[in-house]
């Protein structure tokens, strides 16, 4: 597993983007874990069309930081990731579990500029609550 420790380059109160990695660092169809400054882990995925998605790295079923190791695929054209633990499938677009509709992963905004991926420091959706050790 690749874990990227993302420490902000500059600290501005209005800056909510955290540098994650270079786009060419990520292998299409694979994920990488990114550690945000607030201690949350985000799984960042680059797809074969160079689109990039970010979801919470904690599997809400197994409570382990493994989503970045998940299998990337799609259901009816919607990009997905399957948990490597119990194989539940989640939408990379909105984080909902396609196998258990009451469970949702947090999703994060992602931007790519000049070949660099940045992730928002807060989730755009609020998924399943979990506690970290």
């Amino acid at each position: 597993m690749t874990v990227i420790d993302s420490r902000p380059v500059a600290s501005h109160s209005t800056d909510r983007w955290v540098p994650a990695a270079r786009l060419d660092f990520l292998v299409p169809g694979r994920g990488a874990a990114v550690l945000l400054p607030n201690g949350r882990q985000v799984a960042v995925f680059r797809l074969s069309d160079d689109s990039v998605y970010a979801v919470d790295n904690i599997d809400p079923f197994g409570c382990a930081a493994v989503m970045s190791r998940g299998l990337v695929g799609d259901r009816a054209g919607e990009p997905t990731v399957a948990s490597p633990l119990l194989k539940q499938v989640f939408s990379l677009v909105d984080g909902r579990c396609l196998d258990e509709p009451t469970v949702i992963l947090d999703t994060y905004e992602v931007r790519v500029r000049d070949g660099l991926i940045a992730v928002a420091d807060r989730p755009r959706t609020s998924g399943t609550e979990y506690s970290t050790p």
Side-chain angles (χ1 to χ4, degrees):
M1 172 174 79
T2 303
V3 177
I4 303 165
D5 187 356
S6 295
R7 298 181 193 215
V9 178
S11 177
H12 304 296
S13 61
T14 59
D15 186 7
R16 52 179 303 242
W17 294 99
V18 178
R22 292 193 46 77
L23 181 64
D24 59 2
F25 179 76
L26 297 180
V27 176
R30 304 279 306 268
V34 175
L35 181 62
L36 298 179
N38 64 9
R40 299 276 312 250
Q41 290 186 36
V42 176
V44 177
F45 297 93
R46 175 184 174 196
L47 304 186
S48 59
D49 64 358
D50 284 341
S51 59
V52 181
Y53 294 91
V55 298
D56 198 53
N57 195 37
I58 305 293
D59 178 333
F61 293 95
C63 298
V66 296
M67 293 307 295
S68 63
R69 296 185 190 184
L71 298 172
V72 175
D74 75 86
R75 280 201 185 162
E78 182 173 10
T80 61
V81 61
S83 167
L85 295 178
L86 299 173
K87 310 302 184 242
Q88 288 89 356
V89 176
F90 296 86
S91 167
L92 287 173
V93 175
D94 60 17
R96 78 189 186 291
C97 180
L98 303 179
D99 301 318
E100 181 62 48
T102 61
V103 179
I104 300 171
L105 284 175
D106 285 344
T107 60
Y108 293 78
E109 289 182 66
V110 177
R111 72 178 183 195
V112 180
R113 290 196 180 150
D114 299 324
L116 298 174
I117 300 168
V119 178
D121 66 352
R122 293 179 211 107
R124 74 172 145 212
T125 60
S126 183
T128 305
E129 290 296 318
Y130 64 91
S131 59
T132 55

